[in-house]
Every structure is written in C-alpha cells, then in structure tokens.
Amino acid sequence: MITKEQIEKIRSVPITELLKKQGYSPVEGKHGRGVWYKAPWRDESEPSLKVCPELNVWFDYGAHVGGDCISLVQYHHNKGFPQACELIQSLMDGMVFDSTPIELPKYTRAKQETVSYSYLKEEAIHSASILRYLESRRISRKIADRYCVELHYGKTHSEHYYSLAFKTGEESYELRNSNFKGCIGPKCIAIIDNEYSRSDEQPKACIVFEGFFNMLTYVQLLQQRSPMCVTEYPCDMIVLNSAGFVPQAQPIFDQYDRIHCYLDNDKTGHEKTHEILDRNSGRAVDESYRYRCYNDLNDYLCGVMQEPLDDPPPDI
C-alpha cells in the first residue's frame, strides 16, 4: 500500500525530469517564463504545455488543465492515483520509501465530487427557472448567453436534469441553479481572453476569480463603468473554479504584467490572495478592498452585506 511519505516524495519529483525520462524535451526559443513542451497527448506544431520548475507544476494551455507531477501522469496515461504513483516510481528507476500505510483519498484534485453522465445536451438559456435564478443573482440574460449555456444532462434520457452551465473543457462544466451547485467532468481553470486588442503600451493584465458567477458579475459591472472594476486597460479573465487551484494557475500568472485578484472576502480567499501576491511580488494586486463589506463581488451586486471581518483588507 502506498504511504504518505511515498506520496510526498513522488510529488517532489521534478516534472522536467519526469518528462525527460519519457523522452520529451523542451522546445527552445519559446518566450515567457517557464519551460515549454509540445503536449505529448496530442499532435501540435506549437508548444502549449508549460512547466514552472520553481513550483513544480504544469499547465496545458490547449486543454486548460494542470497540476503536479502525479496529475500529469494521471492525465497523460489515463491512470488512477495509485497507478500514476507506481508509474512515476518505475520511470524514476525505483525509489526507496518508508512503508507506513495510509488510506488514499478518493478524490485528489478537488473537494467537490464530479459525476459522469452519458446524456449531455447544450441549449440556449430559456428555462423560466434558470432565468429567474439569473435575475436573483442580478445577471442579465445577455451576459449569461455570452459565457454560459443551459445544460440538460442525465445518465439516461429519462433521468433528466438541467442547470446553468459554464463550460471549462470538452465535456467539463460548472453547474448552478437555485437548488444545486456542482460540476460535470474534471474541474479545471478557465481562461477568457479579452475581446479587444491591446496597444503595445498597455500592460498584459488579467483578473482572477474563484468562480464563474463573480466573473459574470464583473462583466455586468464593467458595462456600467463601475468603480468595482479595473477600467484603465483591457484584462483577460481567469476563473479558478476552485481556490485550491492557485498553485496550478501560477504558470498562467507568469504570462501577465498585472494580476488583479478578485477573490472572496473570507479566510480562504484572503489566504489564496496572499499566496498569489507573495509569488508575484510587484505584479499582483488585491482588489477585494473594493467590496470589503461583502463576501464576494456578486454579493456586492445583490446588496448582500456580511458581518465585519476580523482582518479586513487594508486601505490602499
């Protein structure tokens, strides 16, 4: 049985060395921080797989997935967690570990359980209950239509559910309705490129959200030129879909001159914001002060105030 010490040692294996053991070499001449590869799991002429050696994480810009060395092997070789660990040990010529047994976690990438469905159908948003739900969250149908779909799903056609869905991968969705919050497929980070071209003088900037409803809220407020928004220059939008994905997002952050953090005003949100600021000194900004009396940006839009925090963001 695999042990806690084994998992930690396996997780510390340099991803660049792991790829080298499998015969993959980095691409020379790629601009930007990090080490770039052509993704081994598809044919491509330009490299889209980035490895950040300092944090030992990877990110595939073609599929919008990433993680540590174990998740790399899981994704590349379609392995479960224990099998991926065994393969890494084999590739690294066998590593000697402590043998104290522990129980493996069932899910390793996200706290929220994901479910597979055989029936998936995307439709334009039209159901009255979803339209009422959007209205309750103060999001216009026009903005929701731009970034979301109405997803009908089930294990069979007779078992039928539907939700507002934000698509994050080929068959991966974040799901929301008035009674349900979940996902289909693996959780992953979503990147939304700005629709408007930047001038050479403008910094390449991004805005970071924990969930897609805060992204929708930001777009809603941006149309109103709200003081909640960064209006000095255009920004890409990064939706983590889990605060725990901050380490995996670092290779993405490396591409930007400015990183504006719109995370939640709670303990986890503050911790992850400080993590981003520490790793991106001089480039990252905590923007949660703009909605300091609210848990998140959508609560601000809806006027739902929270109790004062013990450690509110400082004035800037």
Side-chain angles (χ1 to χ4, degrees), residues 41 58 60 63 65 70-79:
W41 37 83
W58 62 279
D60 177 1
V65 295
I70 299 175
S71 66
L72 176 72
V73 172
Q74 285 182 281
Y75 187 79
H76 183 192
H77 298 282
N78 194 26
K79 299 284 188 182

Side-chain angles (χ1 to χ4, degrees), residues 26-27 40 53 85 104 112 132 136 142 220:
V27 175
C85 292
L104 280 175
Q112 188 173 22
R132 287 195 298 269
S136 73
K142 183 177 180 181
Q220 188 84 44

